[in-house]
Amino acid sequence: MKTKRLLIWGMLMLMGASVAGCAILEPDAPKDGAKKEKTEQKYEKNDKEKDKQGKKEEADVESGASESAYTDPKELKDEYDIVIVGSGGAGMTAAIEAKDKGMNPVILEKMPVVGGNTSKSSSGMNASNTKFQQEQGIKDSNDLFYEETLKGGHGTNDKELLRYFVDHSADAIDWLDGIGIKLDNLTITGGMSEKRTHRPSDGSAIGGYLVEGLSENVKKRDIPVFVNTDVKKLVEEDGKVDGVVAQVQGEKEKTIKADAVIVTTGGYGASDEYIKEYRPDLEGYVTTNQPGSTGDGIKMIEAVGGQTVDMDEIQIHPTVQQDQGILIGEAVRGEGAILVNEEGNRFVNELDTRDAVSGAINKQTDKDAYLIFDQGARSRATAIEFYASKGYVVEAKTVEELAKKLEMPAANLEKSVTSWNEAVKNQKDEAFNRTTAMEHPLDQANYYAIKIAPGIHYTMGGVKINTKTEVLNKDNKPIEGLYAAGELAGGLHGENRIGGNSVAEIIIFGRQAGVQATDYVKAED
């Protein structure tokens, strides 16, 4: 089963890799030097074969999805109770809730497969005071989760959304468990003080597992899913949204009526247009986002008077493999990995907030670094197997041998590992004041490294919603019949998102959107 999950996750990750082949370049960034070029040459040997295999797997996924996994375009009706635009975690969650409450929902997805950015999620789902925490003796509270998330967002989070978010996080874990998606393996991410990041039982990446589980539940309920279906605009009349205009399989545009519309199209981390408009300083950065994350839903909602917030708040993730824009999940650091620069020296608290770690990496030589970990960490963070299968992991029997392969001073790397192990032993990191994920020293051969650098990962900005997921206009009034959830919505995370909170957001607010849209439709009947 674990092998199947890794394969599914790997294929889904490949779906988003095609737009992310550039390296980080900034206005005054140094060009790749001879040393960097030499290092990269060592790992290019099998690139062509890997690219061929990746393209084949991507084609297989697309072909299978288009032909058999989804609803025949000929079956698309003219009207549904609820139209859901976007098939990521929030969209599928909303559809399941709506269906279970008696509605007739439909999911429209512009890409050839479901999943969106959820497919690329890695570390896990944050939740507080859950049954799985209690079973493992972890003392946590909603208030602590609230305060740490607020601190992570520099106090700029929408406090009403955040309060609802933490108070409904444990319920979301229970709901997933109730539909066969168990997340009982716990780890920690940057900015958190307790293990509240919930993962699949085997410790694998959450993305493929979650998409697979939600997809099975959608299919079991006979909820129609139309892929390659590009929603062009929302239909609005007399201040009420009551449908969409969509283009199916490139054919003539069609109007689909609905009593309510839920938009869950994700963020804009793959949109050159939005990046240039709101954060030109990030132009040229590699992105971890799948190609469909271009802000379509935001444009559609703005066209009917919707309000946006925090559009310039774009998160840079510190640990991104640069060739294909693959996120190296925070769980690797959460299971004990350290970061060293090209000289082999530690330089940061690896589990500080993402903006802080990214900033520290950008101050290093060539603005990159290496994750260093041992066999113990690899065994606990099984997502590493996917990274290894892609050729991202450098392996050695000793720390000294690893340093030689990375072309860095062996004495420095050995000192960094030895000092870290001493910090774990004493439970005190005097160098960088790290206080979390210090249970395991790096002392189990073999030893490994993954070269990383920051990349565009998440967009905190988006449309403004209330705790009922109703989209608000510029007067802060709900737009009747219109709901939104997931990365599309802004405000929850403030200036910086904590790792593990995005998956929690899509489930918590996806459920709420399904419930609230259903209540609205029933009240209108």
Side-chain angles (χ1 to χ4, degrees):
M1 186 64 178
K2 183 167 78 173
T3 301
K4 179 183 177 184
R5 287 176 191 162
L6 286 169
L7 178 59
I8 290 170
W9 185 62
M11 287 182 173
L12 289 166
M13 295 280 275
L14 283 165
M15 290 298 299
S18 59
V19 297
C22 56
I24 290 182
L25 292 174
E26 295 186 57
D28 298 315
K31 301 294 184 181
D32 289 342
K35 177 183 176 183
K36 188 173 182 182
E37 183 178 55
K38 184 177 180 181
T39 302
E40 289 174 346
Q41 284 174 351
K42 296 191 300 177
Y43 308 126
E44 289 177 352
K45 186 177 180 180
N46 296 320
D47 279 356
K48 291 183 179 179
E49 287 303 315
K50 288 172 188 169
D51 288 344
K52 286 180 182 178
Q53 181 63 22
K55 289 176 181 177
K56 180 181 183 301
E57 289 172 347
E58 182 173 341
D60 288 345
V61 172
E62 289 192 16
S63 175
S66 299
E67 293 176 7
S68 62
Y70 306 117
T71 312
D72 188 326
K74 296 176 183 177
E75 297 180 23
L76 182 63
K77 299 177 181 178
D78 295 328
E79 186 172 354
Y80 294 88
D81 293 334
I82 300 173
V83 167
I84 298 166
V85 187
S87 69
M92 288 193 284
T93 296
I96 292 167
E97 281 283 29
K99 183 72 172 184
D100 286 353
K101 288 176 169 42
M103 291 291 100
N104 175 32
V106 63
I107 299 175
L108 307 180
E109 170 60 53
K110 75 173 182 179
M111 301 301 287
V113 294
V114 300
N117 264 356
T118 306
S119 301
K120 305 190 80 180
S121 301
S122 179
S123 294
M125 172 178 168
N126 289 342
S128 52
N129 199 26
T130 69
K131 62 182 180 183
F132 297 125
Q133 286 180 309
Q134 293 168 12
E135 289 171 2
Q136 297 176 39
I138 297 169
K139 295 181 179 180
D140 198 4
S141 71
N142 294 347
D143 287 344
L144 182 60
F145 188 13
Y146 178 95
E147 291 300 329
E148 291 181 348
T149 299
L150 187 64
K151 181 180 178 181
H154 309 148
T156 62
N157 316 60
D158 182 311
K159 294 177 178 60
E160 289 185 8
L161 290 179
L162 180 56
R163 188 75 251 178
Y164 183 91
F165 171 77
V166 299
D167 287 346
H168 290 81
S169 62
D171 288 342
I173 291 290
D174 289 343
W175 180 79
L176 287 172
D177 192 29
I179 62 172
I181 303 172
K182 185 180 292 292
L183 301 174
D184 59 351
N185 183 311
L186 296 169
T187 189
I188 196 167
T189 59
M192 299 285 99
S193 66
E194 298 293 343
K195 286 188 174 182
R196 63 171 68 100
T197 307
H198 295 64
R199 303 181 291 182
S201 300
D202 61 5
S204 59
I206 192 173
Y209 174 69
L210 185 58
V211 169
E212 180 187 9
L214 291 173
S215 297
E216 289 175 353
N217 276 275
V218 166
K219 186 175 182 179
K220 188 191 320 181
R221 289 164 174 76
D222 293 322
I223 299 171
V225 179
F226 296 93
V227 296
N228 295 309
T229 301
D230 191 4
V231 175
K232 299 295 186 179
K233 63 180 181 179
L234 302 173
V235 176
E236 183 251 355
E237 186 175 355
D238 298 327
K240 175 184 176 181
V241 172
D242 59 2
V244 301
V245 174
Q247 186 177 37
V248 185
Q249 303 281 355
E251 299 297 325
K252 185 178 178 180
E253 292 182 1
K254 176 178 181 177
T255 297
I256 304 166
K257 301 291 288 182
D259 294 319
V261 175
I262 302 173
V263 184
T264 60
T265 51
Y268 46 96
S271 170
D272 292 339
E273 177 187 346
Y274 272 122
I275 299 300
K276 184 175 182 179
E277 179 179 357
Y278 290 104
R279 289 293 302 276
D281 58 307
L282 299 181
E283 284 189 89
Y285 268 64
V286 68
T287 180
T288 67
N289 287 250
Q290 59 97 15
S293 297
T294 52
D296 302 0
I298 296 173
K299 293 177 183 178
M300 288 188 283
I301 288 173
E302 283 190 295
V304 295
Q307 181 182 171
T308 59
V309 295
D310 299 339
M311 289 296 287
D312 61 340
E313 300 298 348
I314 298 175
Q315 183 172 72
I316 305 303
H317 194 287
T319 56
V320 177
Q321 198 282 335
Q322 297 293 294
D323 295 332
Q324 292 188 326
I326 298 298
L327 174 75
I328 307 301
E330 215 148 343
V332 178
R333 285 172 284 148
E335 293 300 339
I338 62 173
L339 281 167
V340 303
N341 56 25
E342 292 194 1
E343 291 72 45
N345 300 315
R346 270 188 84 207
F347 57 90
V348 71
N349 169 3
E350 293 84 356
L351 284 173
D352 203 339
T353 55
R354 290 175 170 180
D355 54 348
V357 179
S358 294
I361 293 172
N362 278 335
K363 293 178 182 179
Q364 306 308 306
T365 303
D366 292 331
K367 301 186 178 184
D368 57 25
Y370 290 91
L371 283 162
I372 304 295
F373 53 97
D374 68 348
Q375 183 58 47
R378 180 169 179 168
S379 299
R380 294 186 297 273
T382 55
I384 292 171
E385 300 310 316
F386 170 73
Y387 309 143
S389 74
K390 292 293 294 173
Y392 305 153
V393 180
V394 181
E395 179 176 358
K397 294 181 179 179
T398 66
V399 174
E400 180 181 9
E401 180 186 349
L402 185 62
K404 289 180 179 178
K405 287 188 174 185
L406 300 178
E407 296 185 348
M408 64 177 54
N412 289 354
L413 184 59
E414 288 180 322
K415 181 180 178 181
S416 293
V417 172
T418 300
S419 298
W420 170 249
N421 289 345
E422 193 68 20
V424 171
K425 178 181 177 181
N426 298 328
Q427 287 297 290
K428 186 174 179 60
D429 178 18
E430 294 183 353
F432 299 103
N433 298 314
R434 177 167 160 177
T435 59
T436 55
M438 296 182 66
E439 296 88 350
H440 305 286
L442 301 176
D443 61 1
Q444 296 182 38
N446 289 344
Y447 296 90
Y448 307 94
I450 301 176
K451 189 173 186 178
I452 54 83
I456 293 172
H457 179 52
Y458 190 87
T459 51
M460 278 80 72
V463 300
K464 188 170 184 179
I465 63 170
N466 58 23
T467 57
K468 292 184 177 181
T469 67
E470 296 171 314
V471 175
L472 304 182
N473 63 22
K474 292 176 176 60
D475 295 321
N476 288 319
K477 302 293 184 182
I479 297 175
E480 190 176 349
L482 182 59
Y483 301 82
E487 192 175 351
L488 166 84
L492 173 65
H493 307 291
E495 294 177 353
N496 179 63
R497 180 177 66 80
I498 296 294
N501 277 358
S502 61
V503 175
E505 176 187 21
I506 60 178
I507 303 302
I508 293 166
F509 288 104
R511 292 186 68 201
Q512 177 72 324
V515 169
Q516 293 298 327
T518 296
D519 288 348
Y520 169 79
V521 172
K522 289 181 176 179
E524 289 292 294
D525 288 345

